[in-house]
Structure formats: C-alpha cells, structure tokens
Amino acid sequence: MSTLWTVLLCGLAVLLGSIVQGSIGLGMALVASPFVTIIDPTLMPGSIMLISSLLPIATLIKERDQIDWRGLAWA
C-alpha cells in the first residue's frame, strides 16, 4: 500500500474516532486504533497516543469559558 493511501485511510479512521470520542467520550481506542493497526501496525501505539492528546487540548480551548480554573489547578 502506498504512503498516500496509508495516510488517507488512517486519517479517515482518526476522523471517525474523533467524532465518536467527541460524542460519547470513548472513540479513539474503540474506532481508530483497530483500523490503524490493520492498515499499518508500525504506527501503533504512538500515532494514536499523539492524536488522542490533541483532542482534549482542542476541547479545552473551545470550552475555555466553562473551565473551573480552581478545580483544574487542584487536579
């Protein structure tokens, strides 16, 4: 499989996993990880760990007015 197809298929798997993750809070591990492993096992687990760390940061930026800063500082 060419590199372009690998990137496109993995990107689609991560997109679907992100949609599920944003909806129910559990998606990258259930949706994206199996597909990325099937497409190219050498990308696991680093690629999913990197992408999974970006989603909460994006949510934090988007919902910054709803943050309990004292609770976050304590955590």
Side-chain angles (χ1 to χ4, degrees):
M1 184 180 298
S2 71
T3 305
L4 177 63
W5 281 108
T6 301
V7 170
L8 289 175
L9 290 174
C10 287
L12 181 63
V14 168
L15 175 67
L16 293 174
S18 297
I19 291 169
V20 174
Q21 178 82 25
S23 300
I24 62 171
L26 192 68
M28 294 298 278
L30 293 176
V31 177
S33 294
F35 285 113
V36 171
T37 303
I38 291 169
I39 295 167
D40 190 356
T42 62
L43 295 175
M44 290 301 291
S47 61
I48 296 298
M49 290 175 62
L50 178 69
I51 297 299
S52 295
S53 67
L54 296 177
L55 190 60
I57 293 170
T59 304
L60 183 72
I61 291 169
K62 182 182 176 200
E63 303 289 336
R64 66 183 171 273
D65 56 334
Q66 302 294 321
I67 297 172
D68 175 17
W69 290 104
R70 289 183 59 194
L72 183 63
W74 183 82

